[in-house]
Amino acid sequence: MIFNVHSTTQASQTSIGYRLVDPMHVLISVHDEKGHMVRVISDCVQDKGEYSLLLDNRKLSKGPHFIHFRSPHRRQVKRVPLS
């Protein structure tokens, strides 16, 4: 499984890309700098393949946020500064 987060050229969006090598349950959520979950982006079983999601930053507070990626076999967190 590969999980990448990068800001798009538009300041109001963050692109989240990942690839699954097997079907599995995936939970992707956004947390603020205090650790509070502020949004769930995906919470479902997905087939193997490549995925790309866009996070609309306009309703989130400015400052650092953390994208949490959870699957049955892996957990990963990426810091994303939102301005």
PDB file of all heavy atoms in Angstrom, residues 2-20:
ATOM      1  N   ILE A   2       0.537   2.217  -0.819  1.00  0.00           N
ATOM      2  CA  ILE A   2       1.266   3.478  -0.887  1.00  0.00           C
ATOM      3  C   ILE A   2       0.272   4.588  -0.596  1.00  0.00           C
ATOM      4  O   ILE A   2      -0.838   4.600  -1.128  1.00  0.00           O
ATOM      5  CB  ILE A   2       1.890   3.671  -2.278  1.00  0.00           C
ATOM      6  CG1 ILE A   2       2.891   2.555  -2.548  1.00  0.00           C
ATOM      7  CG2 ILE A   2       2.552   5.028  -2.390  1.00  0.00           C
ATOM      8  CD1 ILE A   2       3.433   2.542  -3.946  1.00  0.00           C
ATOM      9  N   PHE A   3       0.676   5.545   0.240  1.00  0.00           N
ATOM     10  CA  PHE A   3      -0.194   6.645   0.650  1.00  0.00           C
ATOM     11  C   PHE A   3       0.589   7.940   0.513  1.00  0.00           C
ATOM     12  O   PHE A   3       1.646   8.091   1.105  1.00  0.00           O
ATOM     13  CB  PHE A   3      -0.635   6.421   2.092  1.00  0.00           C
ATOM     14  CG  PHE A   3      -1.470   7.517   2.672  1.00  0.00           C
ATOM     15  CD1 PHE A   3      -2.665   7.881   2.105  1.00  0.00           C
ATOM     16  CD2 PHE A   3      -1.061   8.162   3.819  1.00  0.00           C
ATOM     17  CE1 PHE A   3      -3.443   8.868   2.666  1.00  0.00           C
ATOM     18  CE2 PHE A   3      -1.827   9.152   4.397  1.00  0.00           C
ATOM     19  CZ  PHE A   3      -3.023   9.504   3.815  1.00  0.00           C
ATOM     20  N   ASN A   4       0.100   8.875  -0.308  1.00  0.00           N
ATOM     21  CA  ASN A   4       0.764  10.158  -0.511  1.00  0.00           C
ATOM     22  C   ASN A   4      -0.225  11.290  -0.309  1.00  0.00           C
ATOM     23  O   ASN A   4      -1.376  11.185  -0.707  1.00  0.00           O
ATOM     24  CB  ASN A   4       1.338  10.267  -1.925  1.00  0.00           C
ATOM     25  CG  ASN A   4       2.486   9.328  -2.155  1.00  0.00           C
ATOM     26  OD1 ASN A   4       3.409   9.278  -1.363  1.00  0.00           O
ATOM     27  ND2 ASN A   4       2.412   8.550  -3.217  1.00  0.00           N
ATOM     28  N   VAL A   5       0.245  12.376   0.290  1.00  0.00           N
ATOM     29  CA  VAL A   5      -0.565  13.580   0.453  1.00  0.00           C
ATOM     30  C   VAL A   5       0.254  14.738  -0.080  1.00  0.00           C
ATOM     31  O   VAL A   5       1.423  14.884   0.255  1.00  0.00           O
ATOM     32  CB  VAL A   5      -0.912  13.842   1.939  1.00  0.00           C
ATOM     33  CG1 VAL A   5      -1.671  15.141   2.079  1.00  0.00           C
ATOM     34  CG2 VAL A   5      -1.696  12.692   2.513  1.00  0.00           C
ATOM     35  N   HIS A   6      -0.353  15.564  -0.931  1.00  0.00           N
ATOM     36  CA  HIS A   6       0.337  16.755  -1.408  1.00  0.00           C
ATOM     37  C   HIS A   6      -0.687  17.840  -1.702  1.00  0.00           C
ATOM     38  O   HIS A   6      -1.830  17.553  -2.030  1.00  0.00           O
ATOM     39  CB  HIS A   6       1.178  16.441  -2.646  1.00  0.00           C
ATOM     40  CG  HIS A   6       0.396  15.872  -3.782  1.00  0.00           C
ATOM     41  ND1 HIS A   6       0.073  14.531  -3.861  1.00  0.00           N
ATOM     42  CD2 HIS A   6      -0.157  16.452  -4.864  1.00  0.00           C
ATOM     43  CE1 HIS A   6      -0.627  14.315  -4.962  1.00  0.00           C
ATOM     44  NE2 HIS A   6      -0.789  15.458  -5.578  1.00  0.00           N
ATOM     45  N   SER A   7      -0.262  19.071  -1.547  1.00  0.00           N
ATOM     46  CA  SER A   7      -1.145  20.196  -1.833  1.00  0.00           C
ATOM     47  C   SER A   7      -1.224  20.409  -3.332  1.00  0.00           C
ATOM     48  O   SER A   7      -0.217  20.318  -4.030  1.00  0.00           O
ATOM     49  CB  SER A   7      -0.622  21.468  -1.164  1.00  0.00           C
ATOM     50  OG  SER A   7      -0.672  21.340   0.225  1.00  0.00           O
ATOM     51  N   THR A   8      -2.406  20.685  -3.814  1.00  0.00           N
ATOM     52  CA  THR A   8      -2.565  21.013  -5.223  1.00  0.00           C
ATOM     53  C   THR A   8      -2.177  22.468  -5.428  1.00  0.00           C
ATOM     54  O   THR A   8      -1.884  23.189  -4.477  1.00  0.00           O
ATOM     55  CB  THR A   8      -4.019  20.785  -5.675  1.00  0.00           C
ATOM     56  OG1 THR A   8      -4.856  21.660  -4.929  1.00  0.00           O
ATOM     57  CG2 THR A   8      -4.444  19.350  -5.474  1.00  0.00           C
ATOM     58  N   THR A   9      -2.205  22.925  -6.657  1.00  0.00           N
ATOM     59  CA  THR A   9      -1.846  24.309  -6.948  1.00  0.00           C
ATOM     60  C   THR A   9      -2.873  25.281  -6.383  1.00  0.00           C
ATOM     61  O   THR A   9      -2.570  26.436  -6.165  1.00  0.00           O
ATOM     62  CB  THR A   9      -1.705  24.523  -8.464  1.00  0.00           C
ATOM     63  OG1 THR A   9      -2.900  24.096  -9.100  1.00  0.00           O
ATOM     64  CG2 THR A   9      -0.532  23.736  -9.010  1.00  0.00           C
ATOM     65  N   GLN A  10      -4.087  24.817  -6.144  1.00  0.00           N
ATOM     66  CA  GLN A  10      -5.105  25.670  -5.547  1.00  0.00           C
ATOM     67  C   GLN A  10      -5.016  25.564  -4.032  1.00  0.00           C
ATOM     68  O   GLN A  10      -5.032  24.471  -3.478  1.00  0.00           O
ATOM     69  CB  GLN A  10      -6.489  25.233  -6.009  1.00  0.00           C
ATOM     70  CG  GLN A  10      -6.683  25.317  -7.511  1.00  0.00           C
ATOM     71  CD  GLN A  10      -8.032  24.774  -7.925  1.00  0.00           C
ATOM     72  OE1 GLN A  10      -8.888  24.507  -7.102  1.00  0.00           O
ATOM     73  NE2 GLN A  10      -8.212  24.623  -9.223  1.00  0.00           N
ATOM     74  N   ALA A  11      -4.930  26.702  -3.372  1.00  0.00           N
ATOM     75  CA  ALA A  11      -4.762  26.711  -1.918  1.00  0.00           C
ATOM     76  C   ALA A  11      -5.969  26.145  -1.187  1.00  0.00           C
ATOM     77  O   ALA A  11      -5.864  25.768  -0.032  1.00  0.00           O
ATOM     78  CB  ALA A  11      -4.482  28.129  -1.435  1.00  0.00           C
ATOM     79  N   SER A  12      -7.107  26.052  -1.847  1.00  0.00           N
ATOM     80  CA  SER A  12      -8.321  25.603  -1.165  1.00  0.00           C
ATOM     81  C   SER A  12      -8.508  24.094  -1.215  1.00  0.00           C
ATOM     82  O   SER A  12      -9.497  23.583  -0.714  1.00  0.00           O
ATOM     83  CB  SER A  12      -9.541  26.291  -1.767  1.00  0.00           C
ATOM     84  OG  SER A  12      -9.704  25.886  -3.113  1.00  0.00           O
ATOM     85  N   GLN A  13      -7.563  23.358  -1.812  1.00  0.00           N
ATOM     86  CA  GLN A  13      -7.709  21.916  -1.921  1.00  0.00           C
ATOM     87  C   GLN A  13      -6.415  21.199  -1.597  1.00  0.00           C
ATOM     88  O   GLN A  13      -5.340  21.690  -1.880  1.00  0.00           O
ATOM     89  CB  GLN A  13      -8.142  21.511  -3.330  1.00  0.00           C
ATOM     90  CG  GLN A  13      -9.518  21.964  -3.686  1.00  0.00           C
ATOM     91  CD  GLN A  13      -9.917  21.490  -5.065  1.00  0.00           C
ATOM     92  OE1 GLN A  13      -9.079  21.275  -5.922  1.00  0.00           O
ATOM     93  NE2 GLN A  13     -11.205  21.323  -5.280  1.00  0.00           N
ATOM     94  N   THR A  14      -6.561  20.033  -1.006  1.00  0.00           N
ATOM     95  CA  THR A  14      -5.437  19.134  -0.776  1.00  0.00           C
ATOM     96  C   THR A  14      -5.756  17.822  -1.459  1.00  0.00           C
ATOM     97  O   THR A  14      -6.839  17.274  -1.289  1.00  0.00           O
ATOM     98  CB  THR A  14      -5.221  18.899   0.738  1.00  0.00           C
ATOM     99  OG1 THR A  14      -4.947  20.155   1.356  1.00  0.00           O
ATOM    100  CG2 THR A  14      -4.070  17.952   0.989  1.00  0.00           C
ATOM    101  N   SER A  15      -4.811  17.336  -2.251  1.00  0.00           N
ATOM    102  CA  SER A  15      -4.992  16.079  -2.972  1.00  0.00           C
ATOM    103  C   SER A  15      -4.428  14.940  -2.140  1.00  0.00           C
ATOM    104  O   SER A  15      -3.321  15.035  -1.604  1.00  0.00           O
ATOM    105  CB  SER A  15      -4.265  16.158  -4.312  1.00  0.00           C
ATOM    106  OG  SER A  15      -4.329  14.923  -4.975  1.00  0.00           O
ATOM    107  N   ILE A  16      -5.182  13.861  -2.033  1.00  0.00           N
ATOM    108  CA  ILE A  16      -4.766  12.674  -1.286  1.00  0.00           C
ATOM    109  C   ILE A  16      -4.776  11.502  -2.247  1.00  0.00           C
ATOM    110  O   ILE A  16      -5.814  11.189  -2.826  1.00  0.00           O
ATOM    111  CB  ILE A  16      -5.705  12.408  -0.100  1.00  0.00           C
ATOM    112  CG1 ILE A  16      -5.725  13.617   0.828  1.00  0.00           C
ATOM    113  CG2 ILE A  16      -5.311  11.132   0.627  1.00  0.00           C
ATOM    114  CD1 ILE A  16      -6.846  13.596   1.826  1.00  0.00           C
ATOM    115  N   GLY A  17      -3.636  10.882  -2.424  1.00  0.00           N
ATOM    116  CA  GLY A  17      -3.544   9.754  -3.334  1.00  0.00           C
ATOM    117  C   GLY A  17      -3.029   8.520  -2.620  1.00  0.00           C
ATOM    118  O   GLY A  17      -2.194   8.617  -1.732  1.00  0.00           O
ATOM    119  N   TYR A  18      -3.557   7.359  -3.000  1.00  0.00           N
ATOM    120  CA  TYR A  18      -3.084   6.110  -2.410  1.00  0.00           C
ATOM    121  C   TYR A  18      -3.375   4.948  -3.338  1.00  0.00           C
ATOM    122  O   TYR A  18      -4.208   5.044  -4.246  1.00  0.00           O
ATOM    123  CB  TYR A  18      -3.682   5.882  -1.014  1.00  0.00           C
ATOM    124  CG  TYR A  18      -5.186   5.861  -0.957  1.00  0.00           C
ATOM    125  CD1 TYR A  18      -5.883   4.667  -0.941  1.00  0.00           C
ATOM    126  CD2 TYR A  18      -5.906   7.043  -0.897  1.00  0.00           C
ATOM    127  CE1 TYR A  18      -7.263   4.645  -0.871  1.00  0.00           C
ATOM    128  CE2 TYR A  18      -7.280   7.033  -0.833  1.00  0.00           C
ATOM    129  CZ  TYR A  18      -7.957   5.833  -0.810  1.00  0.00           C
ATOM    130  OH  TYR A  18      -9.319   5.816  -0.756  1.00  0.00           O
ATOM    131  N   ARG A  19      -2.649   3.877  -3.112  1.00  0.00           N
ATOM    132  CA  ARG A  19      -2.819   2.664  -3.920  1.00  0.00           C
ATOM    133  C   ARG A  19      -2.969   1.485  -2.985  1.00  0.00           C
ATOM    134  O   ARG A  19      -2.206   1.326  -2.032  1.00  0.00           O
ATOM    135  CB  ARG A  19      -1.611   2.459  -4.817  1.00  0.00           C
ATOM    136  CG  ARG A  19      -1.752   1.245  -5.709  1.00  0.00           C
ATOM    137  CD  ARG A  19      -0.638   1.174  -6.704  1.00  0.00           C
ATOM    138  NE  ARG A  19       0.646   1.339  -6.060  1.00  0.00           N
ATOM    139  CZ  ARG A  19       1.728   0.630  -6.349  1.00  0.00           C
ATOM    140  NH1 ARG A  19       1.683  -0.273  -7.288  1.00  0.00           N
ATOM    141  NH2 ARG A  19       2.850   0.836  -5.714  1.00  0.00           N
ATOM    142  N   LEU A  20      -3.951   0.643  -3.253  1.00  0.00           N
ATOM    143  CA  LEU A  20      -4.189  -0.560  -2.470  1.00  0.00           C
ATOM    144  C   LEU A  20      -3.809  -1.773  -3.306  1.00  0.00           C
ATOM    145  O   LEU A  20      -4.213  -1.870  -4.467  1.00  0.00           O
ATOM    146  CB  LEU A  20      -5.657  -0.655  -2.061  1.00  0.00           C
ATOM    147  CG  LEU A  20      -6.227   0.507  -1.252  1.00  0.00           C
ATOM    148  CD1 LEU A  20      -7.709   0.303  -1.016  1.00  0.00           C
ATOM    149  CD2 LEU A  20      -5.479   0.665   0.058  1.00  0.00           C
TER     150      LEU A  20
END
